[in-house]
Amino acid sequence: MLSLTVGSGVVAFFSICIAIAFLRVLMVTRWLTAKNPIDDSPRCVDVIIPARNEEQDLRHAVESIQKQRSVSIRVVIINDHSTDETASIAKSLAESDDRIGVINDPTLRDGWFGKANAMQHGLAATSQSLLIFTDADVLHHRDSFAEAILEMERREDHFLSLFPTVELESFWENVLVPHLMIAGMVAFLHRRLEDPRSPHAVAAGAFILVQRDALEAIGGLESVKNEALDDVKLAQRIKQNGYQTGFCFAPDLIRVRLFKSNRDAFWGFTKNILSPFNPVWLAIPFMFLPIFVYASPLLAIAAGLYQHETLMVAIGIFAYVTQAIVLVPATRLCRLKWYKALCFPIAALPITCCIIKAYYHHYIDRGVKWRGRVMQK
């Protein structure tokens, strides 16, 4: 039982370290807010929206784009072989607004993942020097485009990505997303993110503003054609080629619900979960990490109560509380429901299942499965 006490102590220590690292991330990363910009010379921008089976969200997302102020927009919706009503919704939007065009079922090129392929087709259909890539389920504040463009010009960026408010509804969304979001930010948001001499760069696919010259200089989306983390890799490629990249938290400007159901949330990280590991077998020991991290405190509490070991119970409770406290600053970026989010220890189950499923697709299908389609590398 000593191992449970020690394990809980280790978990508490590392939870405190992660909390400190996450607070540092929140402090050093740029924040962009709505300031009602007034611009007498609105910028022209082409907006590219890849959409696959987005019937629930596409109309609301596009309507929020149509309401943008202080910018002149053209929108291209790429219906990526959807099997629901996405095509008809896109068609009706285009028929009601001549600023909107639709590309249906673009040819899927060999070696390309669906989203990157759709984005490349959208890029070929546009002409403006400024481009915005945004997802079909993102809702935009009426000044989000103008604020982003002004920020890009002020900082002399060639590439700027905004991170949204993440809305959480279902049980598994609240259990999984906050801690994984925190872990991802601690891993990717390096303190030298803004240093042009540093290789570190990051992006969120919800909103990417990029200068066409910089994107075309790296061959468009070609360099990320089969990357599961296409947004992050795109930012890195841009920066590697000598262009300035930027990243801002913008919870007041854009918001998104990543997963639309418990099932989607449970399996939702399958596509990306192997991406940080090279070679991919390194994810095998990672499978056991969530079990250790989340189970140790609970087992220590249970064993301590059974054996009347007050110290073990106290350390187990302390470890659980430190894990829960990390969620407090995360509320600046996600709208969680505490009565669901506090069940985070069972996140070990879907994480393990997602890794196993990702391995299956990697070795059996030789690719990545997303939205009912296997993309082979």
Side-chain angles (χ1 to χ4, degrees):
M1 294 303 175
L2 178 63
S3 60
L4 285 177
T5 305
V6 173
S8 296
V10 170
V11 168
F13 173 76
F14 280 106
S15 295
I16 293 170
C17 292
I18 290 172
I20 293 171
F22 182 54
L23 288 172
R24 179 194 60 79
V25 163
L26 295 180
M27 289 188 290
V28 302
T29 303
R30 278 192 262 165
W31 290 76
L32 191 62
T33 59
K35 298 183 288 291
N36 296 319
I38 299 174
D39 194 343
D40 296 329
S41 55
R43 311 301 192 271
C44 297
V45 60
D46 284 331
V47 186
I48 298 170
I49 308 174
R52 177 170 169 81
N53 295 338
E54 294 285 2
E55 65 180 4
Q56 294 184 55
D57 302 298
L58 179 60
R59 183 175 299 278
H60 297 301
V62 173
E63 287 174 350
S64 72
I65 292 171
Q66 292 173 296
K67 297 174 183 176
Q68 292 300 300
R69 303 191 302 181
S70 302
V71 292
S72 176
I73 63 170
R74 297 283 297 179
V75 180
V76 179
I77 303 170
I78 305 93
N79 168 39
D80 185 17
H81 303 267
S82 298
T83 57
D84 62 4
E85 295 301 313
T86 296
S88 61
I89 294 170
K91 180 181 178 181
S92 69
L93 288 166
E95 289 174 345
S96 64
D97 189 336
D98 60 9
R99 298 176 298 173
I100 299 173
V102 180
I103 299 174
N104 281 306
D105 302 331
T107 302
L108 184 57
R109 290 163 265 202
D110 289 341
W112 285 70
F113 285 0
K115 183 178 179 181
N117 181 73
M119 292 164 67
Q120 183 69 15
H121 279 278
L123 176 62
T126 59
S127 59
Q128 294 296 336
S129 60
L130 284 178
L131 301 165
I132 289 176
F133 294 95
T134 186
D135 290 337
D137 54 357
V138 176
L139 298 177
H140 302 263
H141 183 281
R142 62 184 181 176
D143 293 321
S144 63
F145 286 14
E147 291 285 6
I149 292 170
L150 291 175
E151 178 72 4
M152 171 181 271
E153 293 175 348
R154 185 179 71 84
R155 298 285 299 219
E156 298 183 345
D157 290 328
H158 300 92
F159 177 104
L160 177 65
S161 182
L162 306 184
F163 189 88
T165 290
V166 179
E167 297 184 334
L168 307 172
E169 296 292 338
S170 71
F171 177 77
W172 286 115
E173 287 175 84
N174 282 272
V175 166
L176 272 168
V177 173
H179 271 111
L180 289 178
M181 182 186 76
I182 292 167
M185 288 182 177
V186 170
F188 284 105
L189 294 181
H190 194 271
R191 61 184 177 82
R192 295 182 61 197
L193 207 61
E194 302 286 345
D195 186 346
R197 297 166 297 179
S198 165
H200 296 283
V202 74
F207 188 103
I208 292 174
L209 170 65
V210 60
Q211 295 182 12
R212 178 182 291 275
D213 290 347
L215 187 57
E216 291 183 343
I218 65 166
L221 282 300
E222 173 81 26
S223 63
V224 297
K225 64 182 182 181
N226 58 5
E227 298 283 357
L229 291 175
D230 53 89
D231 44 10
V232 175
K233 296 298 182 181
L234 183 62
Q236 293 173 351
R237 299 286 190 276
I238 293 279
K239 193 170 186 180
Q240 287 166 3
N241 280 267
Y243 295 98
Q244 181 64 32
T245 63
F247 180 85
C248 296
F249 292 134
D252 296 336
L253 294 176
I254 53 176
R255 54 192 174 93
V256 64
R257 184 181 176 193
L258 296 175
F259 306 111
K260 307 306 184 287
S261 67
N262 266 314
R263 179 182 174 82
D264 287 346
F266 189 96
W267 296 108
F269 290 95
T270 303
K271 183 185 78 164
N272 298 329
I273 204 161
L274 296 183
S275 298
F277 303 99
N278 187 20
V280 295
W281 62 261
L282 289 175
I284 294 176
F286 177 79
M287 266 197 308
F288 300 97
L289 181 61
I291 298 173
F292 167 75
V293 168
Y294 292 132
S296 293
L298 299 184
L299 289 175
I301 294 170
L305 290 172
Y306 180 75
Q307 296 189 348
H308 305 288
E309 292 285 348
T310 305
L311 179 61
M312 186 183 297
V313 173
I315 293 177
I317 292 174
F318 180 68
Y320 172 82
V321 170
T322 56
Q323 291 175 318
I325 286 175
V326 178
L327 297 174
V328 175
T331 57
R332 296 186 67 186
L333 295 169
C334 61
R335 296 176 181 173
L336 57 81
K337 292 177 170 52
W338 280 101
Y339 67 97
K340 298 177 182 178
L342 290 176
C343 296
F344 62 83
I346 61 174
L349 174 61
I351 291 172
T352 302
C353 291
C354 285
I355 292 175
I356 294 171
K357 188 175 183 180
Y359 270 124
Y360 175 85
H361 293 305
H362 180 81
Y363 288 109
I364 303 301
D365 297 324
R366 299 294 178 182
V368 175
K369 186 173 183 180
W370 182 241
R371 301 205 176 202
R373 181 171 60 185
V374 175
M375 299 297 169
Q376 296 182 328
K377 292 192 175 184

